[in-house]
């Protein structure tokens, strides 16, 4: 069974990689037809992809590493064994790298394959590209390890959830601004790239891109891939030296400075305690609960919110998904997409991207926080099942909270992208309705699978998400997201061409209604099973 589940998730990742490869291949083939400007835009593409992969890997490593390095369940046990601290540090580093290196595999590999096949590169290119990607992975791992230990050393005396939240929030803000200014091309960038001037035998557009990305540590790797695939000139002798020196320096710093910081901060974190309040505990007045909401259902909702806010591990995962949202937002607001509103087919394609991106984030949020919510009640769930509060109200309260949180977290960002593209108020309202429908249906599907097949013995939400029920809910949500994206495409084309978009919207409502009805029936089945326990 476990092999089947693993194979299912690998198949999902493979489908995503194939889709990215097709998109990259078509884009690079279109760029190749532009000759000089196309070569510069190809370099810009590689620079942007590696910058995004580096940032995603770095944020993901820090968000997970601050927990894995210092708060993993088996840390106390391993510290009590003869295992040397150096070995523990290497174990935590490699463990975090394995968990957070998915971006390079899912995004980097399809980009390199599309690049090589577009420019008909020889077999030697792929061998060299594999070496470049391996060096890039080593550099990202060393840098992320060093930044994680530096952040822990700087915030060792503060609560863990504040350390995790503040570190990731600062990095998200800084990187969103930096990415918005440097990675996403502006109208002025395009004007410069399309200039045919030559400077010292190198196109001015290539010079411009090199200056733009000089201080990004991913620049040597992008320049190397570009040169070996296209045969064009990019980079310098310093860039070629940086290809080998950056991974070496980052690994050495992580193994020396990072290890020393880890050795200094780990005992402090393990021995940390919290001072509650001075004075006689007997005189401290008990504060009523719930404090904001009312009734037993309000108490359940407020308890779930407080549990989410006070859990450093959950905050780190939430912050990472928020980082991905920030990247998406920076692209939507800075990229020159306004002109696409005058071309119906271009607008329809961009709307597919907008809606499916929102669906991806909704699925990612929901799989991490909605799907496991019933199972995470643990062994104490029998208290709710034996209380006067009906299990149905308990589950429906979770559904209302999940649908509200997903809608608030994702839909406004997706609507901002919609308003950047769409000038027709009616069309914007229709797309907004599809997004709200997408959010509510996704939340219902994920909670239904989690309620029908709970696991009260497992306490790790990530492990629960990789179960058979988690795989089934992921596939169901992604297929539904693809359908709604296609419906949004048809709605835009029908509206902009003077047709009737009502059948498209009706199809979206019908599909969502069928799925919600089935999900509610699945929830009812799960409730009867829970009540029987």
């Amino acid at each position: 069974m476990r092999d089947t589940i693993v194979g299912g998730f690998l198949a999902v990742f493979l489908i995503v990689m194939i889709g990215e490869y097709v998109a990259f291949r078509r884009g690079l083939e279109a760029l190749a037809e532009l000759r000089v400007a196309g070569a510069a835009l190809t370099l810009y593409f590689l620079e942007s992809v590696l910058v995004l992969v580096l940032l995603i890997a770095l944020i993901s490593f820090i968000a997970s590493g601050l927990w894995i390095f210092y708060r993993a369940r088996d840390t106390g046990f391993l510290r009590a064994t003869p295992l040397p601290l150096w070995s523990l540090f290497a174990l935590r580093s490699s463990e975090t790298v394995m968990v957070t290196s998915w971006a390079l595999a899912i995004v980097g590999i399809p980009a390199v394959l599309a690049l090589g096949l577009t420019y008909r590169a020889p077999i030697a290119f792929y061998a060299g590209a594999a070496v470049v990607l391996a060096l890039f992975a080593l550099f990202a791992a060393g840098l992320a390890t060093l930044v994680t230990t530096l952040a822990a050393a700087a915030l060792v005396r503060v609560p863990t959830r504040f350390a995790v939240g503040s570190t990731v929030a600062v990095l998200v803000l800084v990187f969103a601004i930096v990415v918005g200014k440097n990675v996403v091309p502006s109208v002025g960038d395009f004007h410069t790239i399309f200039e045919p001037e030559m400077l010292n035998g190198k196109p001015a557009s290539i010079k411009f891109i090199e200056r733009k990305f000089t201080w990004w540590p991913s620049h040597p790797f992008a320049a190397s891939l570009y040169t070996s695939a296209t045969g064009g000139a990019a980079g310098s002798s310093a860039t070629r030296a940086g290809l080998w020196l950056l991974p070496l320096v980052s690994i050495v710093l992580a193994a020396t400075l990072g290890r020393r910081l880890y050795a200094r901060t780990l005992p402090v974190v393990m021995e940390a305690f919290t001072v509650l309040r001075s004075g006689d505990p007997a005189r401290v007045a008990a504060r009523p609960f719930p404090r904001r909401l009312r009734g037993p259902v309000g108490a359940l909702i407020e308890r779930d919110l407080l549990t989410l806010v006070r859990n450093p591990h959950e905050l780190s995962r939430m912050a990472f998904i928020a980082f991905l949202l920030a990247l998406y937002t920076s692209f939507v607001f800075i990229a020159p997409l306004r002109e696409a509103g005058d071309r119906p087919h271009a607008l329809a394609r961009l709307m597919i991207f907008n809606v499916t991106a929102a669906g991806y984030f909704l699925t990612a949020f929901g799989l991490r926080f909605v799907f496991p919510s019933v199972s995470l009640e643990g062994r104490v769930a029998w208290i709710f099942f034996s209380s006067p509060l009906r299990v149905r109200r308990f589950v429906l309260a979770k559904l209302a909270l999940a649908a509200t949180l997903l809608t608030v977290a994702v839909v406004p960002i997706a609507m901002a992208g919609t308003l950047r593209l769409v000038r027709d108020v009616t069309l914007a309202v229709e797309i907004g309705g599809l997004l709200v429908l997408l959010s509510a249906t996704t939340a219902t599907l994920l909670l239904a699978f989690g309620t029908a097949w709970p696991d009260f013995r497992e306490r790790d939400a990530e492990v629960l998400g990789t179960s058979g029920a988690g795989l089934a809910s992921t596939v169901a949500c992604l297929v539904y997201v693809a359908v709604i994206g296609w419906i949004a495409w048809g709605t835009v084309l029908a509206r902009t061409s003077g047709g009737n978009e009502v059948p498209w919207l009706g199809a979206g409502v019908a599909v969502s209604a069928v799925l919600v009805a089935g999900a509610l029936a699945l929830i009812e089945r799960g409730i009867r099973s829970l009540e029987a326990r």
Side-chain angles (χ1 to χ4, degrees):
M1 182 62 181
R2 173 58 61 180
D3 293 340
T4 302
I5 295 172
V6 172
F9 275 106
L10 289 176
V12 171
F13 287 130
L14 182 61
I15 292 172
V16 172
M17 293 174 68
I18 292 173
E20 289 180 345
Y21 164 77
V22 172
F24 291 154
R25 179 75 183 274
R26 289 182 177 178
L28 288 171
E29 286 176 348
L31 294 179
E33 296 176 357
L34 300 176
R35 297 184 180 180
V36 176
L41 288 171
T42 299
L43 177 58
Y44 206 124
F45 163 77
L46 288 173
E47 297 278 10
S48 300
V49 165
L50 289 189
V51 166
L52 292 177
V53 169
L54 176 62
L55 295 183
I56 291 173
L58 188 59
I59 294 292
S60 180
F61 192 103
I62 294 170
S64 299
L66 284 172
W67 180 265
I68 294 174
F69 273 60
Y70 299 97
R71 293 293 188 181
R73 295 179 184 177
D74 57 350
T75 300
F77 168 76
L78 292 176
R79 288 291 290 138
T81 66
L83 184 70
L85 187 61
W86 161 252
S87 299
L88 179 60
F89 176 72
L91 172 66
R92 294 308 188 206
S93 300
S94 58
E95 181 181 357
T96 311
V97 168
M98 292 295 295
V99 172
T100 60
S101 59
W102 56 269
L104 183 60
I106 293 180
V107 180
I109 292 176
V112 168
L113 290 176
L115 177 69
L117 291 173
T118 298
Y119 287 92
R120 296 177 176 83
I123 297 297
F125 162 76
Y126 299 99
V131 174
V132 171
L133 291 182
L135 291 172
F136 183 73
L138 287 175
F139 165 71
L143 178 63
T145 301
L146 183 61
V147 174
T148 300
T149 52
L150 284 171
L155 300 171
V156 67
R157 296 293 181 181
V158 302
T160 305
R161 66 174 179 271
F162 177 80
V164 173
S166 60
T167 301
V168 177
V170 169
L171 290 174
V172 165
L173 180 62
V174 171
F175 286 156
I177 295 173
V178 172
V179 167
K181 292 181 62 177
N182 294 276
V183 176
V184 181
S186 63
V187 176
D189 293 339
F190 282 116
H191 286 314
T192 304
I193 289 172
F194 277 87
E195 291 180 359
E197 182 183 0
M198 298 289 289
L199 297 175
N200 298 325
K202 184 182 290 187
S205 54
I206 297 292
K207 290 276 190 180
F208 165 74
I209 295 171
E210 289 178 342
R211 288 194 301 269
K212 193 177 183 67
F213 290 93
T214 295
W215 298 108
W216 283 97
S218 57
H219 173 59
F221 306 95
S224 175
L225 290 174
Y226 171 82
T227 301
S228 58
T230 67
S236 61
S237 57
T239 302
R240 289 185 286 274
L243 179 69
W244 301 95
L245 289 178
L246 284 174
L248 178 62
V249 171
S250 69
I251 293 297
V252 170
L253 287 176
T256 54
L257 179 58
R259 179 173 63 87
R260 291 175 183 173
L261 290 172
Y262 183 66
R264 183 183 303 174
T265 54
L266 180 61
V268 178
V269 173
M270 291 182 62
E271 297 171 6
F273 62 91
T274 302
V275 178
L276 296 177
R277 183 179 294 185
S278 60
D280 185 4
R283 292 190 174 186
V284 177
R287 301 183 65 180
F289 187 86
R291 300 173 187 172
R292 306 295 180 186
L293 304 178
R294 294 291 178 267
V297 174
L300 292 174
I301 293 176
E302 187 167 334
R303 182 207 56 155
D304 285 347
L305 288 173
L306 289 176
T307 301
L308 185 64
V309 170
R310 293 176 177 178
N311 190 324
H313 198 193
E314 301 296 324
L315 284 177
S316 66
R317 309 317 299 166
M318 188 186 304
F320 174 66
I321 301 177
F323 167 68
L324 297 180
L325 272 172
L327 288 180
Y328 168 71
T329 306
S330 65
F331 171 78
V332 166
F333 280 96
I334 295 173
L337 302 176
R338 198 63 169 173
E339 294 77 7
D342 299 327
R343 292 174 290 170
H345 287 279
L347 178 61
R349 287 193 292 268
L350 287 172
M351 199 54 63
I352 289 180
F353 169 76
N354 189 44
V355 172
T356 53
Y360 164 77
F361 289 122
L362 287 167
T363 303
F365 266 121
L367 188 64
R368 185 62 177 79
F369 300 106
V370 178
F371 171 80
S373 60
V374 173
S375 297
L376 290 178
E377 298 295 339
R379 302 284 180 104
V380 299
W382 65 270
I383 297 176
F384 299 107
F385 305 151
S386 61
S387 68
L389 177 65
R390 297 293 299 272
V391 177
R392 184 174 289 100
R393 292 186 66 191
F394 168 71
V395 175
L396 291 180
K398 285 185 174 292
L399 176 59
L401 176 62
T404 301
L405 290 179
L406 289 184
T407 302
V408 171
V410 178
V411 172
I413 299 296
M415 274 306 298
T418 300
L419 295 175
R420 279 271 295 162
L421 297 169
V422 175
R423 298 181 177 90
D424 187 343
V425 176
T426 302
L427 181 58
V429 172
E430 291 169 349
I431 297 299
L434 286 177
L435 290 171
V436 172
L437 201 63
L438 181 65
S439 175
T441 306
T442 302
T444 308
L445 284 172
L446 289 167
L447 186 65
F449 279 92
T451 304
W453 293 282
D455 183 0
F456 295 111
R457 296 179 179 86
E458 181 57 56
R459 301 298 299 158
D460 192 333
E462 294 177 350
V463 174
L464 290 168
T466 56
S467 63
L471 173 62
S473 62
T474 301
V475 173
C477 287
L478 292 180
V479 171
Y480 171 67
V481 166
V483 171
I484 295 298
W486 174 65
I487 289 174
W489 172 83
T491 301
V492 171
L493 284 182
R495 180 70 183 178
T496 54
S497 61
N500 185 9
E501 70 272 22
V502 173
W504 289 97
L505 296 173
V509 172
V511 170
S512 300
V514 170
L515 290 177
V516 168
L520 291 176
L522 200 59
I523 289 176
E524 188 67 27
R525 171 186 175 277
I527 288 173
R528 288 197 298 269
S529 175
L530 294 176
E531 288 177 338
R533 297 183 187 186

